[in-house]
Amino acid sequence: MAIHQDHELHTRRWSRNLGVGLTLAAFIALVFGLTVVKVQNGSLMQGADHTYRSEIDPANQMPVAEPEQ
Amino acid sequence: MSDIQADIAGQTTTGEAGFGDYVQLLKPRVMSLVVFTGLVGLLVAPVSLHPIEALAAVIFIALGAGGSGALNMWWDADIDRVMSRTQKRPIPAGKVTEGEALAIGVALSGISVVMLGLATNWLAAGLLAFTIFFYAVVYSMWLKRSTPQNIVIGGASGAFPPMVGWAAAMGSVSIEAALMFMVIFMWTPPHFWALALFMKGDYHDAQVPMLTVTHGRRTTRTHILVYTVALVPFALAAAFTSIGGPIYLAVALVLNLLFLIGAWRIWRRAEPAAEADKYHVERRFFRLSLIYLFGHFAAFLIEATAPAGALAAAIGWGF
């Protein structure tokens, strides 16, 4: 027989804490999974990596030709 | 020592909900219907999402439904205390405070809309936001207590999930999404009016102007028949779109025939006869209405599978 018996209040608190904790963990797992899928499905992306690359320099972009009048 | 015990006893009455009480606040039975119809809308769309994106979309649609359910319970706490059907809900039962319900409702609504937008697209997120607004504000705060047409117009909020699912996959809406919407929209009034016929005193006690209270039970029976007849063309028309097919048509023909017969029986009945058999026909019609909706959406789902497509091709079915 247990020496200490939890009050019903503590049982409810425990269920609430566990439920909220598991919900948050599931949310994090879902956002992580979504991020992986988005990155895998995304088109080629180039971020700044502190090295000059002429292909992403706006100055080297071809100007859009104006239609002739 | 007695002071401590008194303090604990005081705390148990409010603000110490178990996790299950929070789940009840989100109306899990309504959520299950939303999950099912939203999932069908998503799966029958010709463009398929990555399974993780589809899972996220369904979870956030469900969370949005749960958030609006919590807002509804927060707003309706006063009448929930009066109606026997709703007295055991978390707020009237004293398990969750009204402030908590409001906070959970607002938070879940916001999270669900933003996350659905990030996971799929902003049209789907906008439709979900409109659905939550429609259910929490237009239906719960405005229509429910002001007009006997509350169920008719408010039914739109329950009809949006398949359209949100479709928009999540496609990034647009089309005739198929509109027909799925219309099937639920036109199904909602007969479903709830049948419930109102046999949950006799509840709406009257809570002074909610259901049609049974404002226009009487004879008029309600007529309305059930009229809306059921108006529902049939939408349910059958869906068979001749890209989400329908021969299996769906067969299921829809049987279910609509049964639903029409049920509505006809309700219309023909006089009140003393209904009271004598404790609303047997009305209760059976209510149960049939659940099967009706599930059957139609399950048939949509079957039509989206490869064997159903092969069957349609074999008999030359093409729309």
Side-chain angles (χ1 to χ4, degrees), chain A residues 7-10 12-13 15-16 19-20 23 27 30-31 33-34 37-38 40-41, chain B residues 8 11-12 15-19 22 50 52-53 55-56 59-60 111 115 118-119:
Chain A
H7 190 278
E8 185 263 339
L9 169 71
H10 297 116
R12 261 194 287 167
R13 271 187 193 161
S15 101
R16 190 175 70 213
V20 172
T23 305
F27 182 72
L30 186 63
V31 172
L34 262 179
V37 170
K38 292 283 179 193
Q40 282 179 347
N41 288 352
Chain B
I8 291 173
Q11 283 183 19
T12 54
E16 287 290 356
F19 190 68
Y22 290 143
H50 187 283
I52 299 281
E53 287 178 315
L55 175 71
I59 287 175
F60 295 131
I111 290 170
M115 289 307 299
L118 292 171

Side-chain angles (χ1 to χ4, degrees), chain B residues 131-151:
Chain B
T131 307
I132 295 168
F133 170 79
F134 205 88
Y135 185 63
V137 178
V138 177
Y139 171 68
S140 301
M141 296 184 188
W142 177 34
L143 293 173
K144 187 172 178 179
R145 302 185 195 207
S146 63
T147 165
Q149 296 301 310
N150 49 14
I151 285 303

Side-chain angles (χ1 to χ4, degrees), chain B residues 140-194:
Chain B
S140 301
M141 296 184 188
W142 177 34
L143 293 173
K144 187 172 178 179
R145 302 185 195 207
S146 63
T147 165
Q149 296 301 310
N150 49 14
I151 285 303
V152 179
I153 308 166
S157 50
F160 270 114
M163 189 181 268
V164 177
W166 178 278
M170 298 288 288
S172 62
V173 288
S174 63
I175 183 73
E176 289 87 351
L179 282 171
M180 285 190 283
F181 173 93
M182 285 307 295
V183 167
I184 303 180
F185 182 69
M186 298 303 293
W187 163 90
T188 306
H191 169 77
F192 276 104
W193 284 331

Side-chain angles (χ1 to χ4, degrees), chain B residues 193-201 217 278-279 282-283 286:
Chain B
W193 284 331
L195 178 74
L197 279 175
F198 63 80
M199 294 299 288
K200 232 182 150 186
R217 309 173 77 75
K278 294 177 181 170
Y279 296 91
E282 289 77 3
R283 286 174 198 274
F286 180 76

